[in-house]
Amino acid sequence: MSFEYHEPAAVAEAVALGARFGEAGRFLAGGTDLIIQMRRGKVAPRHVLSLHRVPGLDRIEANGAITLGALVTHRAVERCADFQGPLGALVEGARVVGGHQIRNVATVGGNVVNASPAADVVPVLLTLDATVTCLGPDGERTLPLEGFLTGPGQTARRPGELLTAIRFERLPPASATAFLKAGRRRAMEISVVCVAARLTLDPARERCLAARITLGAVAPTTMRARAAERALEGRPLTDDVLREAGRLAAGECRPISDVRASARYRRLLVETLVPRALRRCRERIGGGA
Amino acid sequence: MSRLALSLRINGETHEVLTAPHRTLLDVLRDDLGLTGTKENCLEAECGVCTVLLDGRAVNACILLAAQCAGREVVTIEGLARGAELHPLQRAFVEHGAVQCGYCIPGMLLAAKAYLDEDGAPTEDGIREALAGNLCRCTGYQKIADAVLAAAAALRGSRAGGGGCTHP
């Protein structure tokens, strides 16, 4: 590793440096991905722009819509009181990332920009229809998270652009979320498959008004299982309907075989975990079919 | 190659260090300052032997640039005991036979300290989760978990008896 080190003290300064160095520069947040990639020689930026002195980026704003600043850590998400209720899958996703040492520094913004298909909080954010805001030399733009993730390690972020915030709305009444992860052990593990779900029921809690089902580690990016979502919306959520969603999700995911698991096993996990996550949402809302 | 002049606060003392930007806190602790209690192993934040406290929170020194630590409070294993008086966690590890080869222990102790500072009345499950980022190949973890539970009880006792006085 050999690089020039910069410590911008404000967002505007960080963006100006980002614009100046373009592809030769990298923003450093928690460093749990970037420093390791640099040590392995996978990336070799000539300029490292540490963001830790930029004030305000570590804030979680929860007035109405929720905004996660780029430097909000997984530990902060895990401990945020606003995420104890219907948004609880954020806590469930954040708390299975590495150990305390990782979660104390690893940021959700960094996790999004790193764009691992096996990321754990990203599927939860996708169930919340989250957007990401990027600030660059051409100004600010806000994109749906789903479109921002373009491939393994690839995003729509332009060279020099800084991801400043992740935003999502609070959920309507009769909503709940759930996150499940399958790994070879419980801690310090990259997901073999992870699944997040969000359900919103009608006021009588009989029919599904909206469903989101997202899958990690079974496609080049974290993906939404749209056919499975459509199979739920407008219907009473019986166990049969939830199992059907699991079968559809297993059909529409695109897993590969790798060191962690075979593609076939990953599909079996999706078929099992999707209904399980949906049942958990249904139980958390209470009532229902 | 460029050099950075850093002022690092480690175990309550200020150290002036001149270092290349890519060097980690672990490099500077061990090679420049001779603080070799912080161990080096995987260099990818998987094993936890390099755990130190940064502003009170457990972090892996192997993936933290020294430059990122300037002006912040770092505590290493050398800063845990008060002079000759062991920290209650250290005493509990000795009393419970939680140490075998010892290589993982500095990191275990600091991860445990950060956790007990947050949660003074932990469960064994909570302790095991808090230490999930610290690998040990000797003990099987049971004695370590027992020691942390005992230290938590000892710390509660000293707080209750000492009129709110807490060990640093």
Side-chain angles (χ1 to χ4, degrees):
Chain A
M1 295 196 284
S2 174
F3 53 82
E4 297 283 329
Y5 178 78
H6 308 265
E7 274 184 3
V11 170
E13 188 189 347
V15 171
L17 287 170
R20 188 167 126 210
F21 300 129
E23 309 233 25
R26 285 294 291 265
F27 293 112
L28 173 65
T32 54
D33 285 310
L34 181 60
I35 298 291
I36 291 170
Q37 288 165 6
M38 287 167 62
R39 190 175 275 135
R40 288 178 179 173
K42 283 189 175 169
V43 293
R46 276 180 283 140
H47 298 272
V48 169
L49 286 56
S50 179
L51 298 171
H52 75 284
R53 296 203 192 279
V54 178
L57 287 181
D58 60 350
R59 272 206 296 270
I60 299 176
E61 285 171 34
N63 314 319
I66 290 170
T67 304
L68 305 179
L71 295 186
V72 169
T73 64
H74 287 73
R75 195 90 176 111
V77 168
E78 197 183 334
R79 297 166 67 84
C80 179
D82 286 283
F83 303 154
Q84 294 302 315
L87 297 170
L90 285 166
V91 176
E92 293 172 326
R95 72 180 306 172
V96 296
V97 174
H100 281 206
Q101 291 95 323
I102 296 287
R103 304 209 288 278
N104 279 334
V105 295
T107 64
V108 177
N111 197 226
V112 167
V113 169
N114 192 54
S116 163
D120 290 313
V121 178
V122 172
V124 182
L125 292 170
L126 274 186
T127 68
L128 302 174
D129 298 334
T131 62
V132 298
T133 299
C134 290
L135 188 59
D138 303 325
E140 187 176 270
R141 59 195 186 114
T142 294
L143 301 83
L145 174 61
E146 192 182 14
F148 184 74
L149 304 167
T150 53
Q154 314 249 307
T155 69
R157 195 176 64 91
R158 295 171 186 149
E161 229 177 11
L162 176 66
L163 183 151
T164 54
I166 300 161
R167 283 198 184 83
F168 47 89
E169 298 293 328
R170 283 183 191 276
L171 294 175
S175 298
T177 58
F179 171 85
L180 294 170
K181 167 171 177 161
R184 286 176 302 183
R185 53 181 179 167
R186 268 173 54 190
M188 300 292 287
E189 179 68 321
I190 295 176
S191 285
V192 170
V193 165
C194 57
V195 169
R198 187 258 284 189
L199 290 178
T200 300
L201 302 186
D202 65 7
R205 304 190 176 206
E206 283 167 0
R207 277 169 196 279
C208 172
L209 287 182
R212 293 286 181 277
I213 298 168
T214 59
L215 312 174
V218 291
T221 64
T222 306
M223 63 170 279
R224 267 178 71 180
R226 284 194 158 76
E229 292 171 1
R230 279 195 300 272
L232 301 176
E233 287 175 349
R235 297 176 69 182
L237 298 181
T238 62
D239 286 344
D240 282 347
V241 168
L242 302 191
R243 275 195 293 272
E244 173 62 11
R247 280 189 291 274
L248 288 165
E252 63 191 305
C253 71
R254 291 166 286 145
I256 57 168
S257 297
D258 66 11
V259 291
R260 275 180 282 281
S262 65
R264 183 158 170 264
Y265 182 57
R266 286 190 158 102
R267 277 190 205 277
L268 284 170
L269 282 172
V270 168
E271 188 170 342
T272 304
L273 293 180
V274 164
R276 194 179 293 175
L278 292 168
R279 273 198 302 275
R280 200 162 283 189
C281 290
R282 194 180 62 186
E283 285 158 15
R284 287 172 180 176
I285 297 169
Chain B
M1 187 189 295
S2 68
R3 300 248 154 197
L4 301 172
L6 305 176
S7 187
L8 298 176
R9 288 279 296 171
I10 296 163
N11 302 327
E13 287 177 31
T14 303
H15 299 264
E16 306 296 336
V17 176
L18 194 64
T19 186
H22 69 270
R23 294 183 75 236
T24 61
L25 178 63
L26 181 63
D27 295 333
V28 169
L29 288 174
R30 290 181 58 85
D31 301 340
D32 297 14
L33 303 177
L35 294 170
T36 53
T38 307
K39 301 306 178 199
E40 176 178 315
N41 178 47
C42 76
L43 297 179
E44 298 207 339
E46 291 283 347
C47 77
V49 301
C50 66
T51 300
V52 300
L53 305 184
L54 180 67
D55 293 335
R57 285 181 296 202
V59 297
N60 296 116
C62 72
I63 58 160
L64 196 63
L65 299 179
Q68 293 173 281
C69 303
R72 298 160 89 179
E73 290 289 333
V74 176
V75 174
T76 70
I77 191 63
E78 288 87 350
L80 192 56
R82 247 191 322 212
E85 188 197 338
L86 294 181
H87 186 278
L89 271 164
Q90 291 171 307
R91 274 207 304 277
F93 270 58
V94 172
E95 285 162 7
H96 284 79
V99 181
Q100 289 193 32
C101 90
Y103 202 77
C104 70
I105 298 300
M108 286 282 182
L109 285 165
L110 290 171
K113 178 177 188 325
Y115 179 57
L116 294 188
D117 286 346
E118 275 180 12
D119 183 355
T123 61
E124 181 172 335
D125 280 352
I127 290 167
R128 285 176 178 272
E129 197 206 334
L131 298 181
N134 296 78
L135 303 185
C136 171
R137 303 205 51 191
C138 311
T139 68
Y141 302 106
Q142 186 58 51
K143 291 179 176 182
I144 291 173
D146 292 345
V148 178
L149 270 174
L155 283 162
R156 283 197 302 275
S158 69
R159 275 180 200 134
C165 170
T166 56
H167 198 285

